[in-house]
Amino acid sequence: MSMGANLPVDVDRVRLELGRADGPAVSAAALLLTGAGRVRSGADLVARDQPGAPGDAVRHVGTPDGAEAVEVDLAALPDSTERVALCAWTGSGTLGRVTGLRLRLVAAGSGTVLAHFDMAPRSETALVAGELYRREGRWRFRAVGQGYDHGFAGLAADFGLTPAPARAPRPGPAPRPAPPARPQTRGEELLPADMGERLSLRKQQVATSLRKGGLTGVTARVILVLDASGSMSGLYAKGTVARVAERMAAVAALLDDDGTMQAWTFATRPARLPDLHLGELPEWLRLHVRVGQLGVIGRKKRPKSRADGQVDMRTVGIQNEEQKVIADVRAYVRDHPVPLPTLVLFFSDGGVYRSKEIERELRAAADEPVFWQFVGLGRSHYGVLEYFDTLAGRTVDNVGFFAVDDVDQVADPELYDRLLSEFPLWLGAAREAGVLR
């Protein structure tokens, strides 16, 4: 299985087996979670030193090769348990030192392997390897692979495990108090089940990426900018841009207090798109992630009519004029001040040729409470964006940039790590320089 994949579980008793090829010993534990994604008490932890949950529906067991596993009787779980998360951690450095880390889902009665998930952690010291979860009255399994940098304590705290149980699992440290839970973002419950599952998992991955930069509980306004120049038509046709926009919705869902994201499209001219509200995500992607002329090609044929709020893409043009949309977004931020930082997620396939004009706009924006994160969708020419980090004479470094060959092949954890790596640095520098108050 690949990260994020899921499948139905049609047997009552299963075993989640954690294995490795070499490296430090890895411990396994299960957390029994409610529909809110929280434990009810320390009794909802099942680990080596606390081997059974109430009623023995979940038990910590060994495997023939000496690894650790958790056995689950799905039919015996109480209705209040909506998820069983299998956690892994090591007390000897990072999980990146472990080779061949894997999770197997096995039918406990027959020993049949139902699923196999290979993991390749790097700097993480703990992770949620996989989870069993209810969906419409039936159980399913999902390969998760979500990493944490603060050991089992940080992982457990995110699920509400505080104070530490009387017999804390080895070798992780005692869990720290959990941070205040953020309320569910308005509208998420309206999403189709598969999209809602992706969003929930991606929010966790966004939170993990921010924690790697030392940020927890941060709130920010998020703005999305999408290149709609002629060279982007292939990426739109393949659905790549729509998938990127869906992945960015998770950033707004976690960072923005109401999950709403402002958005722009641009080519020769910029155009503001309707705000993206999470509950309207499928329809928003269908109506507003578009490029090129609206309607059929041909001088004598009329373009198709537009839905309410749709931009007439003929007015946007086909050239690259990044400086115009940057100026547009800057004007919006000035005219709509909020007591929060603003994070701009700017996607383009390159072809940048207005370097002087772009540099002028971004230099002027260095004193504004906005961080500009540019992402290149390909290896095309990006002009000034490729060396903006080295430009002196700004109050703070307010621009990040990276490019990828094929964004669809970049897993969510890696994408969010790269997307959010410079934002925490800018926040600290901007506060110290008085750009943020």
Side-chain angles (χ1 to χ4, degrees):
M1 298 182 70
S2 59
M3 183 180 296
N6 64 86
L7 52 77
V9 178
D10 296 322
V11 295
D12 285 341
R13 292 177 57 245
V14 295
R15 192 165 58 250
L16 296 164
E17 298 180 352
L18 196 66
R20 80 192 200 283
D22 198 8
V26 178
S27 295
L31 295 174
L32 281 62
L33 307 174
T34 65
R38 313 283 285 180
V39 297
R40 289 152 296 203
S41 70
D44 282 339
L45 167 69
V46 177
R48 183 191 307 164
D49 292 338
Q50 192 165 308
D56 286 340
V58 182
R59 294 196 60 81
H60 184 280
V61 297
T63 65
D65 59 0
E68 297 194 15
V70 170
E71 194 163 290
V72 184
D73 185 346
L74 297 170
L77 285 170
D79 291 342
S80 57
T81 298
E82 293 286 336
R83 293 163 54 197
V84 178
L86 184 77
C87 310
W89 75 100
T90 176
S92 303
T94 69
L95 286 167
R97 298 173 58 202
V98 179
T99 60
L101 186 62
R102 63 189 181 274
L103 171 62
R104 297 198 310 170
L105 177 69
V106 178
S110 64
T112 302
V113 177
L114 305 176
H116 183 106
F117 175 39
D118 290 320
M119 294 166 281
R122 294 179 293 182
S123 63
E124 300 93 331
T125 52
L127 57 79
V128 176
E131 65 177 7
L132 297 158
Y133 64 99
R134 294 186 201 258
R135 175 65 63 188
E136 297 179 349
R138 301 188 63 182
W139 285 95
R140 300 182 68 87
F141 170 76
R142 175 163 45 222
V144 180
Q146 177 198 348
Y148 291 75
D149 281 347
H150 303 295
F152 182 78
L155 184 157
D158 271 7
F159 294 101
L161 189 59
T162 179
R167 292 177 292 171
R170 298 189 305 265
R176 58 179 171 77
R182 291 176 62 88
Q184 185 183 40
T185 307
R186 188 168 51 203
E188 290 182 42
E189 70 280 1
L190 303 176
L191 294 174
D194 57 343
M195 184 175 282
E197 289 175 11
R198 291 196 299 271
L199 179 66
S200 178
L201 181 58
R202 284 167 173 165
K203 285 171 59 180
Q204 296 175 38
Q205 292 163 340
V206 170
T208 298
S209 295
L210 289 170
R211 277 196 297 274
K212 290 178 180 179
L215 291 183
T216 57
V218 65
T219 304
R221 173 167 53 188
V222 180
I223 294 175
L224 178 66
V225 180
L226 299 174
D227 183 355
S229 59
S231 60
M232 288 282 293
S233 58
L235 293 175
Y236 279 86
K238 291 190 299 183
T240 297
V241 183
R243 288 188 289 273
V244 163
E246 182 184 337
R247 295 166 87 176
M248 295 308 102
V251 181
L254 187 81
L255 285 179
D256 200 286
D257 56 358
D258 64 359
T260 299
M261 183 164 59
Q262 287 73 48
W264 268 259
T265 187
F266 80 95
T268 310
R269 289 165 291 278
R272 185 178 172 192
L273 299 173
D275 289 354
L276 169 56
H277 305 285
L278 285 177
E280 302 168 0
L281 180 56
E283 189 73 353
W284 192 92
L285 295 174
R286 184 182 70 83
L287 291 176
H288 304 300
V289 181
R290 297 154 48 246
V291 69
Q293 287 195 348
L294 185 64
V296 296
I297 298 174
R299 295 180 180 178
K300 295 182 179 180
K301 294 183 179 181
R302 294 182 179 180
K304 296 178 182 178
S305 60
R306 298 190 305 278
D308 289 344
Q310 275 190 314
V311 170
D312 184 345
M313 297 303 292
R314 295 171 301 169
T315 67
V316 174
I318 61 172
Q319 300 298 320
N320 287 83
E321 299 280 354
E322 288 83 2
Q323 76 283 0
K324 294 179 182 178
V325 72
I326 293 171
D328 232 30
V329 172
R330 290 183 61 207
Y332 173 83
V333 172
R334 287 194 301 270
D335 294 343
H336 300 81
V338 294
L340 301 170
T342 296
L343 172 62
V344 178
L345 306 174
F346 196 117
F347 290 85
S348 168
D349 71 337
V352 174
Y353 71 100
R354 298 287 195 182
S355 288
K356 290 183 179 179
E357 294 88 341
I358 294 169
E359 179 179 340
R360 184 164 55 246
E361 286 290 341
L362 292 176
R363 278 188 179 278
D367 292 319
E368 298 167 353
V370 184
F371 184 74
W372 300 79
Q373 179 61 60
F374 291 86
V375 182
L377 301 177
R379 295 294 180 183
S380 186
H381 173 65
Y382 292 100
V384 67
L385 301 179
E386 297 184 89
Y387 54 86
F388 210 89
D389 278 350
T390 66
L391 293 180
R394 290 173 291 157
T395 306
V396 292
D397 180 1
N398 59 330
V399 177
F401 171 80
F402 67 92
V404 295
D405 284 318
D406 185 351
V407 70
D408 283 329
Q409 298 303 311
V410 180
D412 287 334
E414 180 184 349
L415 179 63
Y416 294 135
D417 278 356
R418 298 187 70 179
L419 192 78
L420 299 168
S421 63
E422 295 192 52
F423 180 56
L425 301 175
W426 170 80
L427 279 175
R431 290 190 180 111
E432 185 174 346
V435 174
L436 287 175
R437 295 172 175 79

